[in-house]
Amino acid sequence: MCAGSALRQEEFHRQEYRQEYRRCLEREFRQGRAGPCSDPSFGERLGQRLRREPAVLGALQEDAPVLLARGLRDRPDPGPALLGLASAFRLLELAAVNLYLFPWRKEFGTVQTFSGAYVHSLRPALPEDDLVRSFGRLGYERRGRHCLAVTRPLPEPELVSAACGFFACRLECEILAEVVRRLQPRRLRAEDLLEARRLAGDVEACVEMLQQLGTRHKAAADCGDSVDLYQEMPASPEDAGGEDAAPSAPWRDLGSPQGAQDVPRRSWDHRRDGKRGQEPVPSVGNPNPDTSSSLLFLEQELGGAGSPLSALAAGSRSPQVPGEPQNSPTSPRQEAPELPCYQLHSCLRRGALPSYCCSTCQQLHAGTCAAAQACRTHHHGQELRSERQQRLWLQRTEVDMLLADGSAPWS
């Protein structure tokens, strides 16, 4: 199916859900009930679609993924937070439904931000700015410090669309809460939960991906007491051939003569405080080291496109086929997971920080790059918002490029 046909079909389904939502509201109103949609058949049908295709949520409400991410940010346990978010989306849906069903009632034209519902249900679930924007979709604007008022009554289709979007957000919270319950007693990180939901698609695959991630974390913890993941300290300076012991951090200054001997010289990022850039380098006497430890260190810091969940979703780059010979037991990289190798796109000038990481193309892009805009539309990736994340991705990618250059045959 071509992209245009897919978009038209998605728009058809979006309008279909909104129209059915509107019919449910009007049917319940005729039966004497006015409030958020409570039709079980419609909720079940939309819920099943969301379980299979989480992207439907963004189609019904564009900022829904952002609202969920901000609502769950810094929450040690996403389970209770999801219950609070579901309650908040129900109140936002109610506000939209009241304006749609009772446009003449003046009391619905004002929301007091010191009211019990706002203080105890909305504000603990979502940041204040997101609440103001969500009410802004219904025509509310700030009036004073403690009041939101409708200043521009919206057409009925826009109110129905907003109410249906909040209803879909509520269903998504229930789906995520189900995933959390199925993985109990393990406590999930909210970031892992949302990323697995985005990458895996349907709920069963999401649960399986998070189970695999938990198994990997447990295996890493089990061996953490006996193996130093990033370096092995020599028993004495003599064991290192008379050189000083390696520094405790997994990075070494490129400016030292030792670093210049180990790795071909390359232009690296320089920090603003004037310190020289650093990179992971092998120890002396080991010309072909396994650098996966340093890359794993970066993967833990980066998150997003290069996270362990992304690796689980993409699968192994060289899967073993039953019946075929396995990797040689002497291979130095057999025990370490193979990580994707990233490249700097031609849009990045030397010394510039990237703004976007495309995990499909495995390239870093500048913010104004036209290719990055295409990647945002058609590929998977992540925005690199903080300077720390941008610098880590730049270092990790230059390590990949260095290793690729070093593995090329000498001419």
Side-chain angles (χ1 to χ4, degrees):
M1 180 183 297
C2 67
S5 298
L7 289 173
R8 286 193 297 271
Q9 185 176 11
E10 187 60 44
E11 178 63 24
F12 172 77
H13 288 303
R14 182 162 54 242
Q15 293 301 329
E16 182 184 17
Y17 285 126
R18 289 170 178 168
Q19 291 172 6
E20 186 171 353
Y21 179 88
R22 179 175 187 164
R23 288 193 293 269
C24 291
L25 288 182
E26 293 174 349
R27 182 167 57 251
E28 292 174 352
F29 182 68
R30 289 193 297 269
Q31 295 172 355
R33 297 192 303 272
C37 179
S38 59
D39 186 285
S41 60
F42 175 65
E44 178 68 19
R45 191 167 79 87
L46 180 54
Q48 288 299 328
R49 178 80 188 277
L50 286 170
R51 289 171 66 90
R52 298 190 307 270
E53 304 174 49
V56 172
L57 177 64
L60 291 173
Q61 179 155 316
E62 185 177 356
D63 64 344
V66 175
L67 290 176
L68 286 170
R70 290 176 178 166
L72 294 177
R73 180 185 297 166
D74 299 327
R75 304 299 178 99
D77 185 356
L82 285 166
L83 296 178
L85 272 174
S87 177
F89 287 129
R90 190 177 189 278
L91 284 174
L92 290 169
E93 180 190 359
L94 174 62
V97 170
N98 283 339
L99 292 176
Y100 169 67
L101 293 177
F102 308 103
W104 62 88
R105 294 180 62 171
K106 294 183 179 180
E107 62 268 31
F108 292 148
T110 303
V111 172
Q112 304 296 341
T113 59
F114 55 79
S115 64
Y118 197 98
V119 171
H120 299 297
S121 294
L122 291 175
R123 192 169 283 158
L126 288 167
E128 185 71 20
D129 288 345
D130 289 327
L131 289 174
V132 172
R133 277 192 294 270
S134 295
F135 276 105
R137 292 188 60 201
L138 310 180
Y140 289 93
E141 292 183 5
R142 278 199 178 277
R143 287 292 179 267
R145 293 181 56 191
H146 305 294
C147 178
L148 300 173
V150 174
T151 58
R152 48 181 184 89
L154 297 184
E156 290 183 350
E158 292 188 32
L159 292 172
V160 171
S161 174
C164 184
F166 291 131
F167 177 69
C169 289
R170 177 157 57 103
L171 293 178
E172 179 66 15
C173 288
E174 296 172 0
I175 292 170
L176 293 172
E178 176 193 340
V179 173
V180 172
R181 286 193 300 270
R182 290 177 60 175
L183 291 169
Q184 287 178 342
R186 181 183 157 213
R187 179 171 291 186
L188 297 172
R189 293 174 64 248
E191 294 83 357
D192 289 343
L193 174 64
L194 293 176
E195 187 181 3
R197 176 76 170 125
R198 178 182 66 85
L199 293 173
D202 68 88
V203 170
E204 296 302 323
C206 177
V207 171
E208 181 179 356
M209 180 180 290
L210 289 169
Q211 287 173 337
Q212 293 180 24
L213 181 66
T215 301
R216 289 192 177 188
H217 285 173
K218 184 177 184 302
D222 289 343
C223 70
D225 295 335
S226 59
V227 178
D228 189 338
L229 185 61
Y230 306 116
Q231 64 181 354
E232 292 187 13
M233 297 292 291
S236 66
E238 289 77 12
D239 294 337
E243 298 288 343
D244 292 337
S248 59
W251 309 103
R252 186 175 300 162
D253 193 344
L254 267 180
S256 66
Q258 182 176 348
Q261 294 169 4
D262 289 340
V263 179
R265 185 164 299 277
R266 184 183 181 90
S267 174
W268 284 76
D269 172 53
H270 293 263
R271 298 183 182 275
R272 290 183 179 177
D273 59 6
K275 295 181 180 179
R276 283 174 294 185
Q278 295 176 322
E279 63 170 321
V281 298
S283 59
V284 176
N286 186 5
N288 296 302
D290 176 13
T291 57
S292 61
S293 296
S294 297
L295 292 181
L296 282 171
F297 172 80
L298 276 172
E299 289 295 342
Q300 294 170 358
E301 293 292 325
L302 294 172
S307 68
L309 281 169
S310 295
L312 285 173
S316 173
R317 301 183 81 189
S318 300
Q320 297 292 345
V321 179
E324 292 188 0
Q326 303 297 307
N327 290 337
S328 169
T330 60
S331 172
R333 299 184 66 87
Q334 182 178 1
E335 300 298 328
E338 186 175 358
L339 302 173
C341 294
Y342 283 82
Q343 299 286 324
L344 298 179
H345 190 258
S346 58
C347 65
L348 277 172
R349 292 181 294 179
R350 185 158 296 179
L353 293 177
S355 298
Y356 183 76
C357 173
C358 177
S359 56
T360 304
C361 300
Q362 296 178 2
Q363 289 185 330
L364 302 188
H365 297 271
T368 57
C369 176
Q373 300 300 326
C375 288
R376 288 183 177 92
T377 304
H378 303 292
H379 294 168
H380 291 295
Q382 66 166 328
E383 301 289 342
L384 307 180
R385 302 188 185 281
S386 68
E387 182 178 341
R388 178 171 180 270
Q389 192 181 31
Q390 292 170 350
R391 292 185 181 279
L392 283 170
W393 266 110
L394 182 64
Q395 283 187 320
R396 176 249 157 92
T397 301
E398 291 193 314
V399 168
D400 287 346
M401 296 172 68
L402 244 176
L403 293 176
D405 292 343
S407 63
W410 293 97
S411 56

